[in-house]
């Protein structure tokens, strides 16, 4: 395991050196988006100053170098996820678009009236709404896998739902963005496959915080967003098993996803190009590759260990805050600390923390059905990344105490 020097790491992130409202920035909104290291910023600048060209369709120098960098980005994602082949990696705008791709391509080709899709009670709206839209179009139905009060999936109930014989797809989050729950996705995939169902995993919160091996998981589809992994916004990827992607129809038409076009018929391109119509986010892919190189150089095991330590430290530190209630008490958690203080609105807590330079997120976190299940309308959420420190946790705790005193 490589040595992890958090102060050295922090020096790689220019934005962490700034002040907010006269206070040092304490950025604890990492589950929403991560900050970007200088290496990623430099990669973007280099592309636009030394490589900028469209890819695949020209033979000039800039196009060749941009095309090479784009393909190397695909290979970086393949390596990150341990996919068997680079053609199993489809670039998208992020997790949301990746899920919509599967719903509109695989879903429309394979689901019919009476079929069932299983979603957990803790899903992000991005892993709910596309399936609702698909069900409206096909007549399939969504069934919800229940959770306990700690925010853990009830596997016995899951097994019962699978036993209906009608489940064609299970779409579940790897790590909950609202609770921090780490779901037992490998076991859940095994259970689903035993009944013939396919599985899509929403990995938006998992890929930045832990090592993901799609071959070991045996996931059929796995989606993630680059911007939570220190990469630019607007870029992400869908992993899909090659045999599934090969059988799926394109969901968008345009340039590069074709091999030939005539007025009579269009022949579609091979994987992965079949699903990447039009000019892609070339700079985003290059930035994503730089981000992957950066976190891999730090060591994903080091990142996970540091963040686990921070979560433990914060969980202990907030015990001294009167009325503070943690929302999400799963045995296996990632570095997310959601909370409520009865009588204090989360939005007011967030505003008072912002006055002290502490950035957290408040609201329903795009998980309104989960909030309803927990009897809440909103929570405040501090989410930690590998560049956060225990000193920042101390400042956060002090700020929450002061906010409580002002609001109650």
């Amino acid at each position: 395991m490589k040595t992890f020097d958090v102060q050295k790491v922090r020096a790689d992130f220019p934005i962490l050196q700034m002040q907010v409202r006269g206070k040092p920035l304490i950025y604890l909104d990492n589950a929403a988006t991560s900050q970007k290291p200088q290496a990623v910023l430099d990669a973007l600048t280099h592309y636009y100053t030394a490589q900028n060209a469209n890819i695949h369709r020209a033979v000039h120098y800039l196009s060749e170098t941009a095309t090479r960098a784009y393909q190397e980005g695909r290979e970086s994602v393949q390596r990150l996820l341990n996919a068997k082949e680079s053609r199993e990696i489809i670039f998208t705008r992020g997790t949301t678009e990746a899920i919509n791709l599967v719903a509109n391509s695989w879903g429309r080709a394979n689901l019919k009236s009476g079929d069932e899709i299983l979603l957990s009670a803790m899903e992000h709206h991005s892993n709910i709404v596309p399936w609702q839209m698909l069900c409206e179009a096909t007549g399939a139905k969504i069934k919800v896998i229940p959770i306990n009060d700690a925010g853990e999936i009830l596997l016995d109930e899951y097994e019962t739902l699978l036993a209906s014989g009608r489940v064609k797809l299970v779409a579940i989050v790897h790590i909950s963005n609202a609770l921090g729950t780490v779901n037992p996705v490998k076991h859940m995939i095994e259970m689903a496959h035993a009944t013939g169902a396919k599985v899509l995993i929403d990995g938006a919160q998992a890929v930045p915080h832990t090592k993901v091996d799609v071959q070991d998981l045996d996931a059929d589809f796995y989606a993630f967003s680059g911007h939570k992994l220190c990469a630019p916004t607007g870029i992400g990827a869908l992993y899909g098993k090659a045999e599934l992607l090969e059988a799926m129809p394109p969901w968008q038409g345009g340039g590069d996803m074709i091999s030939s076009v005539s007025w009579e018929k269009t022949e579609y391109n091979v994987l992965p190009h079949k699903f990447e119509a039009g000019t892609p986010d070339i700079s985003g892919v290059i930035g994503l590759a730089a981000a992957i190189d950066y976190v891999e150089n730090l060591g994903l095991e080091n990142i996970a260990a540091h963040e686990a330590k921070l979560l433990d430290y914060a969980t202990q530190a907030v015990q001294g805050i009167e009325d503070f209630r943690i929302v999400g008490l799963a045995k296996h958690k990632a570095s997310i600390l959601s909370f409520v203080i009865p009588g204090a609105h989360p939005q007011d807590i967030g505003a008072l923390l912002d006055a002290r330079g502490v950035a957290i997120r408040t609201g329903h976190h795009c998980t309104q059905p989960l909030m309803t299940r927990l009897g809440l309308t909103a929570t405040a959420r501090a989410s930690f990344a590998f560049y956060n420190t225990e000193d920042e946790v101390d400042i956060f705790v002090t700020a929450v105490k002061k906010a409580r005193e002002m609001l109650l």
Side-chain angles (χ1 to χ4, degrees):
M1 184 177 289
K2 301 175 183 176
T3 302
F4 189 83
D5 183 342
V6 67
Q7 293 303 329
K8 184 178 179 181
V9 168
R10 288 177 63 81
D12 293 337
F13 291 80
I15 202 168
L16 297 182
Q17 317 309 316
M18 72 179 290
Q19 291 199 337
V20 173
R21 310 193 194 286
K23 305 285 186 181
L25 170 64
I26 310 296
Y27 186 77
L28 304 179
D29 193 20
N30 297 285
T33 198
S34 62
Q35 298 303 337
K36 321 306 175 192
Q38 190 64 50
V40 171
L41 305 178
D42 289 345
L44 295 174
T45 299
H46 178 70
Y47 168 72
Y48 282 116
T49 57
Q51 296 175 300
N52 185 41
N54 214 325
I55 60 173
H56 295 151
R57 293 183 287 276
V59 294
H60 61 76
Y61 172 80
L62 289 180
S63 181
E64 288 180 349
T65 57
T67 299
R68 189 180 309 116
Y70 186 82
Q71 180 55 29
E72 288 171 354
R74 197 184 308 277
E75 291 165 359
S76 293
V77 177
Q78 176 193 0
R79 183 181 70 246
L80 178 72
L81 300 181
N82 191 34
K84 188 181 299 182
E85 304 175 72
S86 65
R87 69 190 184 116
E88 295 179 313
I89 304 302
I90 310 298
F91 285 122
T92 66
R93 288 183 298 139
T95 306
T96 299
E97 186 172 75
I99 294 170
N100 275 275
L101 189 163
V102 176
N104 283 280
S105 178
W106 183 90
R108 287 178 181 264
N110 288 278
L111 295 187
K112 61 184 185 304
S113 180
D115 289 341
E116 294 176 353
I117 301 170
L118 299 189
L119 309 177
S120 82
M122 66 180 77
E123 297 307 319
H124 189 281
H125 295 166
S126 294
N127 202 28
I128 298 175
V129 179
W131 307 117
Q132 290 177 328
M133 296 168 71
L134 178 64
C135 287
E136 289 175 1
T138 64
K141 296 188 180 299
I142 291 171
K143 300 290 184 179
V144 180
I145 310 164
I147 61 173
N148 61 23
D149 291 340
E152 298 166 321
I153 284 177
L154 297 174
L155 291 176
D156 289 347
E157 298 284 348
Y158 174 56
E159 185 174 30
T160 298
L161 288 168
L162 285 171
S164 73
R166 294 184 294 273
V167 179
K168 294 296 189 293
L169 178 74
V170 178
I172 49 174
V173 67
H174 196 158
I175 295 178
S176 166
N177 72 301
L179 304 174
T181 302
V182 180
N183 286 318
V185 292
K186 183 175 181 178
H187 181 47
M188 294 181 73
I189 291 169
E190 291 173 353
M191 294 172 70
H193 284 172
T195 69
K198 304 301 182 187
V199 184
L200 177 146
I201 304 295
D202 170 357
Q205 297 296 334
V207 169
H209 303 291
T210 188
K211 179 61 179 173
V212 172
D213 185 332
V214 292
Q215 292 191 70
D216 179 62
L217 291 176
D218 198 23
D220 297 298
F221 302 103
Y222 197 101
F224 78 96
S225 300
H227 71 96
K228 300 178 192 295
L229 185 68
C230 301
T233 55
I235 188 65
L238 170 70
Y239 159 81
K241 289 180 177 177
E243 61 269 24
L244 293 175
L245 294 174
E246 288 278 17
M248 289 161 52
W251 78 303
Q252 293 179 329
D256 212 43
M257 53 74 67
I258 54 85
S259 59
S260 68
V261 176
S262 69
W263 290 119
E264 290 73 33
K265 186 178 182 181
T266 293
E267 298 287 345
Y268 300 130
N269 208 338
V270 297
L271 292 176
H273 311 294
K274 180 171 71 170
F275 294 106
E276 295 180 7
T279 298
D281 185 359
I282 304 166
S283 64
V285 169
I286 290 170
L288 175 58
I292 290 170
D293 288 344
Y294 181 83
V295 298
E296 287 183 334
N297 185 58
L298 290 180
L300 287 163
E301 69 282 359
N302 288 324
I303 288 172
H306 179 75
E307 292 175 349
K309 183 180 177 183
L310 278 179
L311 179 63
D312 289 344
Y313 184 83
T315 302
Q316 291 300 315
V318 298
Q319 302 303 315
I321 304 175
E322 190 175 351
D323 301 322
F324 189 103
R325 180 165 74 86
I326 296 174
V327 179
L329 296 169
K331 294 181 180 68
H332 301 288
K333 280 188 63 175
S335 53
I336 290 172
L337 187 69
S338 290
F339 65 94
V340 293
I341 298 175
H345 196 284
Q347 186 170 343
D348 294 332
I349 295 173
L352 290 172
L353 264 62
D354 178 62
R356 293 175 172 269
V358 181
I360 65 168
R361 186 147 296 250
T362 64
H364 53 64
H365 314 297
C366 292
T367 58
Q368 286 181 295
L370 172 62
M371 294 294 125
T372 299
R373 161 63 181 83
L374 298 175
L376 301 168
T377 57
T379 68
R381 183 188 71 191
S383 49
F384 309 105
F386 57 86
Y387 44 67
N388 291 127
T389 67
E390 291 183 358
D391 287 342
E392 289 184 315
V393 173
D394 292 337
I395 294 170
F396 158 72
V397 171
T398 298
V400 174
K401 287 180 179 177
K402 294 292 185 182
R404 183 194 173 280
E405 291 172 4
M406 294 179 67
L407 294 171
L408 297 181

